[in-house]
Structure formats: structure tokens, C-alpha cells
Amino acid sequence: EVQLQASGGGLVQAGGSLTLSCKTSGFGFDVTAIGWFRQAPGKEYEGLSCSDTSDGTTYYTDVAKGRFHISSDNAENLVILQMNSLKPEDTAVYHCAAIFPPDYGLACRAPLLISDYDNWGQGTQVTVSS
């Protein structure tokens, strides 16, 4: 069964860092694109970053660029989102999502929309306090 499990969320003070993990199973991890998205209360999903696991291509939206870093470990079927310099406005539920062949090669670029992805997990809550 296809599964994407986001974890690592929690409560952190402004300026702090947090590392989220997306553990996947049930599909070919090395031929996919994994994206990170978030949804703040009352807001739409916002794309953050994407990693094409087949060739290492990465993409960052403006909100994530410079503060967040995505990486992947193909052997462990794992994608990491390292978040630094967190702000209260980063408070949201963070989701990882996957695109499967053949479309994954086109996924890691603008616009980064969760609706374009084939599967995503429940998400993990990140709360940044002032």
C-alpha cells in the first residue's frame, strides 16, 4: 500500500529550526518526485519544495528558498525538509506528497500544487511561537 508518513513537527520558538521527515513505502522511491506542502489555518495549501529522486533535481518556492532545505535518501525511501529561521507565520500542517511515473520528471517546478500530486499523507503539525 502506498504510504507517505510526515513526522517531526512540534512546537518551536521563532528563530529556531525543525527537521521534518517523509517516510515512504509502497512505490518506487527512486522514480518519483516528493513535494512538501503546508496548510495554515484558514488558508489554502502552499507549496514549499520538491525533490526529484531520479536525478536529484530540487525546487523551492519563494517562501522556502533560503530558509528550508530538502534532501533525499533513496536507500531509506526518505525525504527530509530542514527548516531554519522559523517564523510564527510558518505555523501550519506540513504534508509530503508524491508524483509517480511518468509525470514525476515535470513536478519539481512552478507552479508547485498539491493537487498535481498522486498521493499525500496526513501531515504533521508545526507551531512556531513568538
Side-chain angles (χ1 to χ4, degrees):
E1 181 180 3
V2 173
Q3 295 184 2
L4 298 103
Q5 179 63 57
S7 62
L11 177 64
V12 64
Q13 293 185 347
S17 298
L18 205 59
T19 301
L20 306 182
S21 298
C22 179
K23 186 69 171 67
T24 72
S25 61
F27 61 92
F29 184 83
D30 58 348
V31 285
T32 189
I34 304 294
W36 281 99
F37 302 82
R38 69 185 184 187
Q39 186 178 37
K43 297 183 179 180
E44 297 181 355
Y45 281 97
E46 183 178 29
L48 300 173
S49 186
C50 181
S51 176
D52 184 335
T53 61
S54 69
D55 63 7
T57 299
T58 60
Y59 171 78
Y60 299 90
T61 62
D62 288 343
V63 69
K65 191 179 303 179
R67 294 194 299 132
F68 297 176
H69 179 73
I70 193 169
S71 60
S72 62
D73 185 340
N74 287 24
E76 300 294 331
N77 298 339
L78 186 68
V79 173
I80 300 295
L81 184 68
Q82 181 182 341
M83 305 189 296
N84 301 313
S85 301
L86 287 166
K87 308 171 184 178
E89 51 263 44
D90 293 319
T91 296
V93 177
Y94 285 69
H95 299 260
C96 58
I99 294 180
F100 308 134
D103 299 328
Y104 67 91
L106 304 175
C108 293
R109 61 185 185 182
L112 192 59
L113 303 173
I114 196 168
S115 59
D116 291 336
Y117 282 64
D118 298 309
N119 209 315
W120 58 85
Q122 185 175 2
T124 184
Q125 176 71 49
V126 172
T127 303
V128 184
S129 62
S130 301

